Amino acid sequence: MNSLTRRQFLYSTSAAAISLAGVNGLQAGKSAKPKLTLGFSLYGMPHMKTEQALQAVADIGYDSVELCLMDAWDATPLKLNAQRRAEVSKKLNATGLKLTSLMEHCDLTGSKASQQKVLERLKRAAELGHALKPEQPPLIETTAGSGKWDDRKNEMRDNLREWAKVAESTKTVITVKPHRGGVVDRPEQGVWLVQQIDSPWIRLNYDFSHFTHRNISLEDSMRIMMPYTSFIQIKDTVLQNNKARFVLPGESGDINYVELLKLAVKGGYRGDICCEVSGMVFKQKGYDPIAAAKTCYQNIAPAFQQAGITRG
């Protein structure tokens, strides 16, 4: 693909317009001195109170943060009453952390009836995002669920149209992550879904750890996905007995993060680079969330300087 198709161009320009209007921080096109943020997902701090976790992330040196809204975590909308929301918002302001994303776990497959609960969950997440950061609400990111692509793609397309209505009405971008072994697990599948919806409020979450060891190159996956991507997460993957296992970002040494950052900027990306700690890591006995966050930072922060990319 040597040049953007007309549809890709329209996506890029419409997303840029939304960004310039201050909504969700979509990439605003190429600039002379592009800046990216380095963030940490609180998915990797499952047993910590949100305010405590935010302070820890800021103390380490991160620019930004993702809250995890899954039911077992502290920041789920049903647990954060008005007082807690005010406290979390105050802590975000005090630390200077940019709230870039809210992690959800919403299934894109299923009947219209089953999707009603999903749509309500997305609405609650969007409401929380606006309550915490009304001047620049975070996007919502989720995987798509399980199943066979060919069996479920049209069903997901139809459901995603309803997601788009929620996204537009709440002025909140929703991104879908192609996930290893999931119903959407390849770059071109994610792009197909976004193209079918044709809305700047429905975008993709790029995470190369789901493509490694699968004959999907960094260059090809980013070329395919960047025109439609509003969020980038990072972690590593290793193979053990021919089975994939996720590890901390930079731990395997297999992913060239300097090149990833350069390709992202070249592709027009101007968003967050968010370190994610997999459940395969934090469920291990003796896991230390602060130590993990420090290791992620130490592994990835130097790549920004080596790539010549400013953080901010």
Side-chain angles (χ1 to χ4, degrees), residues 109-128:
T109 65
S111 66
K112 276 193 173 184
S114 69
Q115 279 289 303
Q116 289 307 306
K117 290 183 178 180
V118 174
L119 296 175
E120 289 302 316
R121 191 174 186 108
L122 290 170
K123 290 176 185 177
R124 287 195 297 268
E127 179 189 19
L128 177 62

Side-chain angles (χ1 to χ4, degrees), residues 107-112 114-115 119 154-164 197:
D107 200 328
L108 192 51
T109 65
S111 66
K112 276 193 173 184
S114 69
Q115 279 289 303
L119 296 175
N154 291 334
E155 175 184 271
M156 289 191 292
R157 175 201 60 203
D158 296 341
N159 290 339
L160 194 56
R161 287 200 180 103
E162 299 305 309
W163 288 26
I197 305 309

Side-chain angles (χ1 to χ4, degrees), residues 136-202:
Q136 193 174 38
L139 56 79
I140 299 169
E141 63 100 353
T142 181
T143 56
S146 59
K148 298 294 185 181
W149 167 256
D150 288 335
D151 296 337
R152 295 295 188 96
K153 67 177 185 178
N154 291 334
E155 175 184 271
M156 289 191 292
R157 175 201 60 203
D158 296 341
N159 290 339
L160 194 56
R161 287 200 180 103
E162 299 305 309
W163 288 26
K165 293 177 183 177
V166 171
E168 184 173 8
S169 67
T170 61
K171 298 297 184 286
T172 302
V173 169
I174 299 174
T175 68
V176 178
K177 179 199 282 191
H179 192 287
R180 187 183 221 105
V183 64
V184 181
D185 76 340
R186 296 188 63 85
E188 59 271 19
Q189 293 171 348
V191 167
W192 183 87
L193 281 171
V194 172
Q195 288 178 335
Q196 300 304 303
I197 305 309
D198 198 23
S199 166
W201 299 101
I202 299 297

